């Protein structure tokens, strides 16, 4: 395996995504960084800007809905991405370049139009456009990872991508919020554009497979190992996706994702309520702590988290993460006198976040393990959509839990569910649960 620099010197091109493990990690991190920048803008900064400029709760809620709606319908984008592409440039890369071009155009138009906070229809339209394009980028990137990343590298790949996303969202939220406050809407859009373009350009420089076109006007062909990658019609896509999703292993992973989704929503919502109502913190204090924690976990995912999942397997990591989180979360709930200390709460928040972060990475790898490459965009989007259904279930049961037992019941249910989700992983086959060898390891041992 040649180095990235050596390949550049010999051919004048960077190696392809399929051929170089370090390049895969770098590109995945950069593209998730690029994806995180606009997410920080439309999920957090613009709704906060609307609220700060006197818009009603209904308007802010509409902005949040516009940001979230495309992400709940990603499977529709997955169907289109699985069916159509321009293969001389790769199966997923044209969609990545197209969605990123759309984000650049949308940010530029938004900067030129520079709406005020009272131009709610236009602002919500900008949010919706950015969210659709970013969701398409997310589907295309995840599908490319499933297509071209060896099993034994999935953990590290997801660790690096998660780290890039965390940094992108935090950076996008912080930068755009500051620009909104001091310079206004247009400057915020241009600042976000400048930060987005640099990591986004990486996909323009790197092919999926060696020999493909870098750009439409450059030399290249459809590679032999990619010619049969696209199902012939919609029926084939739906049949392949449905068959993969109704297999016992896929159904178990779907149940695990759903259970974890309920846990995650209960945990995150109760964290916010506990900090503000019980501990007496204000919103900015809790948001600052959460941001610091997410950045710390993002660094940990890049340095060690993904490696652990690849080394020990996503199944064991999921089980032991759930088994560790249960007593760790429950221990803090037993004695209410512990709730009087800010220091103990912060320590508990960070401590429980470590096994939960490991569980999240294991989830990503398990979902990718049961996803067929031919319909990766569709199948993976459906699996993750099942996980997000947990948000709805958690919202429905949270008031009941509060009335039954307050914070102990709310956090306790969350702790119990993450243990149940981890236990479900024990039912998975060895091929899905355990560690897989990377290309490099396989070559070394052969």
């Amino acid at each position: 395996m040649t180095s990235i620099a050596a390949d550049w010197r010999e051919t004048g091109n960077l190696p392809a995504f399929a051929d170089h493990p370090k390049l895969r990690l770098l590109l995945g991190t950069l593209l998730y960084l690029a994806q995180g920048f606009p997410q920080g803008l439309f999920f957090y900064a613009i709704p906060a800007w609307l609220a700060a400029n006197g818009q009603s709760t209904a308007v802010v809620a509409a902005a949040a809905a516009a940001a979230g709606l495309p992400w709940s319908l990603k499977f529709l984008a997955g169907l289109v991405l699985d069916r159509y592409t321009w293969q001389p440039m790769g199966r997923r890369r044209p969609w990545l370049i197209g969605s990123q071009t759309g984000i650049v155009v949308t940010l530029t138009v938004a900067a030129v139009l520079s709406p005020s906070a009272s131009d709610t229809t236009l602002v919500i339209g900008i949010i919706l456009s950015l969210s659709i394009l970013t969701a398409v980028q997310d589907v295309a990137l995840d599908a490319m990872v499933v297509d071209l990343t060896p099993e034994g590298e999935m953990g590290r790949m997801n660790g690096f991508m998660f780290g890039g996303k965390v940094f992108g969202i935090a950076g996008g939220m912080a930068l755009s919020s500051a620009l909104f406050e001091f310079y206004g809407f247009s400057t915020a859009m241009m600042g976000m554009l400048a930060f987005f373009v640099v990591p986004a350009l990486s996909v323009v420089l790197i092919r999926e497979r060696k020999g493909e076109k870098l750009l439409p006007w450059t030399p290249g062909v459809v590679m032999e190992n990619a010619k049969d990658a696209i199902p012939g019609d919609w029926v084939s896509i739906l049949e392949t996706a449905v068959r993969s999703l109704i297999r016992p292993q896929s159904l178990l992973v779907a149940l695990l994702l759903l259970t974890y989704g309920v846990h995650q929503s209960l945990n995150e919502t109760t964290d916010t309520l506990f900090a503000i109502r019980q501990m007496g913190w204000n919103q900015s204090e809790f948001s600052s702590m959460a941001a610091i924690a997410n950045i710390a976990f993002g660094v940990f995912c890049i340095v060690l988290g993904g490696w652990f999942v690849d080394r020990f397997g996503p199944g064991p990591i999921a089980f032991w993460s759930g088994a560790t989180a249960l007593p760790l979360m429950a221990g803090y709930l037993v004695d209410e006198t512990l709730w009087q200390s800010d220091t103990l709460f912060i320590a508990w928040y960070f401590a429980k976040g470590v096994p939960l972060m490991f569980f999240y990475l294991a989830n990503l790898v398990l979902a990718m393990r049961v996803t067929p490459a031919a319909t990766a965009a569709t199948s993976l989007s459906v699996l993750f959509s099942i996980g997000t259904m947990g948000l709805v279930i958690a919202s429905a049961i949270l008031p009941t839990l509060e009335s039954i037992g307050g914070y102990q019941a709310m956090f306790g249910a969350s702790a119990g569910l993450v243990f149940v989700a981890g236990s479900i992983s024990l039912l998975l086959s060895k091929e899905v649960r355990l560690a897989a060898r990377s290309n490099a390891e396989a070559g070394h041992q052969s």
Side-chain angles (χ1 to χ4, degrees):
M1 181 70 70
T2 60
S3 69
I4 297 176
D7 207 310
W8 177 268
R9 288 194 299 269
E10 292 173 8
T11 66
N13 294 311
L14 290 168
F17 184 90
D19 296 338
H20 204 289
K22 291 182 179 179
L23 190 66
R24 282 194 287 271
L25 295 176
L26 176 62
L27 186 62
T29 305
L30 288 173
L31 291 179
Y32 257 95
L33 181 68
Q35 180 180 309
F37 281 133
Q39 284 183 278
L41 176 67
F42 60 72
F43 274 127
Y44 302 102
I46 294 182
W49 172 72
L50 289 170
N53 282 273
Q55 294 304 306
S56 66
T57 300
V59 169
V60 176
L69 180 62
W71 294 81
S72 65
L73 300 174
K74 286 198 304 180
F75 68 93
L76 297 176
L79 284 170
V80 177
L81 267 65
D82 279 335
R83 178 65 183 88
Y84 298 109
T85 191
W86 193 55
Q87 279 193 292
M89 284 180 59
R91 188 176 181 196
R92 313 298 184 180
R93 192 164 156 268
W95 285 103
L96 284 169
I97 294 174
S99 59
Q100 291 174 343
T101 301
I103 291 171
V104 169
V105 171
T106 302
L107 289 171
T108 303
V109 170
V112 172
L113 295 177
S114 190
S116 66
S118 60
D119 297 321
T120 54
T121 301
L122 179 55
V123 172
I124 290 173
I126 291 168
I127 290 174
L128 183 62
S129 298
L130 288 172
S131 185
I132 291 172
L133 292 164
T134 309
V136 170
Q137 177 183 333
D138 180 69
V139 173
L141 179 55
D142 284 348
M144 188 169 76
V145 169
V146 172
D147 287 349
L148 301 175
T149 303
E151 288 282 0
E153 297 175 19
M154 283 293 192
R156 279 165 289 178
M157 190 70 185
N158 279 287
F160 273 68
M161 292 192 300
F162 176 75
K165 183 177 181 178
V166 167
F167 297 145
I169 291 176
M173 178 171 57
L175 173 69
S176 57
S177 295
L179 292 176
F180 269 125
E181 182 175 357
F182 295 108
Y183 300 101
F185 190 96
S186 181
T187 303
M189 296 301 104
M190 294 307 296
M192 191 53 49
L193 177 61
F195 274 78
F196 170 81
V197 165
V198 175
L201 278 174
S202 60
V203 77
V204 179
L205 303 174
I206 297 170
R207 296 170 172 85
E208 286 187 29
R209 299 172 179 85
K210 188 175 181 179
E212 293 174 342
K213 289 178 177 288
L214 192 64
L215 295 167
W217 52 86
T218 61
V221 296
V222 179
M223 303 309 296
E224 286 297 325
N225 60 352
K227 285 184 177 180
D228 298 326
I230 299 177
D233 51 52
W234 293 105
V235 175
S236 299
I237 294 173
L238 291 172
E239 285 181 350
T240 303
V242 170
R243 280 199 304 268
S244 72
L245 290 168
I246 62 175
R247 291 181 303 173
Q249 298 301 305
S250 298
L251 291 174
L252 284 171
V253 170
L255 179 60
L256 186 154
L257 293 174
L258 179 62
T259 306
Y260 178 81
V262 180
H263 143 78
Q264 184 181 30
S265 182
L266 288 176
N267 182 60
E268 292 177 352
T269 304
T270 309
D271 274 338
T272 304
L273 296 174
F274 186 86
I276 292 174
R277 295 178 180 175
Q278 174 64 37
M279 304 301 296
W281 292 16
N282 60 42
Q283 184 176 355
S284 63
E285 288 173 332
F286 178 71
S287 297
S288 297
M289 182 191 70
I292 292 170
N294 284 333
I295 291 173
F297 294 147
V299 172
F300 188 79
C301 281
I302 289 175
V303 176
L304 285 176
W307 180 86
F308 269 97
V309 176
D310 282 338
R311 175 66 179 80
F312 298 104
I317 291 294
F319 174 74
W320 288 109
S321 295
T324 303
L326 175 60
L328 189 59
M329 294 180 69
Y332 184 73
L333 305 175
V334 173
D335 187 356
E336 293 187 20
T337 60
L338 302 176
W339 302 1
Q340 310 307 313
S341 168
D342 287 348
T343 301
L344 283 177
F345 173 62
I346 293 170
W348 179 67
Y349 183 89
F350 275 81
K352 70 173 179 170
V354 174
L356 297 183
M357 178 270 298
F358 272 118
F359 204 122
Y360 178 79
L361 286 181
N363 279 352
L364 298 177
V365 177
L366 289 171
M368 290 182 175
R369 284 270 178 94
V370 298
T371 299
T375 58
T378 305
S379 300
L380 202 58
S381 297
V382 171
L383 278 176
F384 288 147
S385 295
I386 291 172
T388 60
M389 289 171 56
L391 305 179
V392 178
I393 298 173
S395 298
I397 66 175
L398 192 63
T400 301
L401 291 171
E402 184 179 28
S403 64
I404 291 173
Y407 294 118
Q408 282 99 338
M410 295 154 77
F411 277 128
S414 173
L417 284 168
V418 75
F419 177 74
V420 171
S423 299
I424 293 171
S425 71
L426 296 175
L427 304 175
L428 294 167
S429 67
K430 290 182 178 180
E431 291 78 12
V432 175
R433 294 185 65 247
L434 300 181
R437 291 186 300 169
S438 67
N439 278 355
E441 291 170 328
H444 177 73
Q445 294 182 20
S446 59

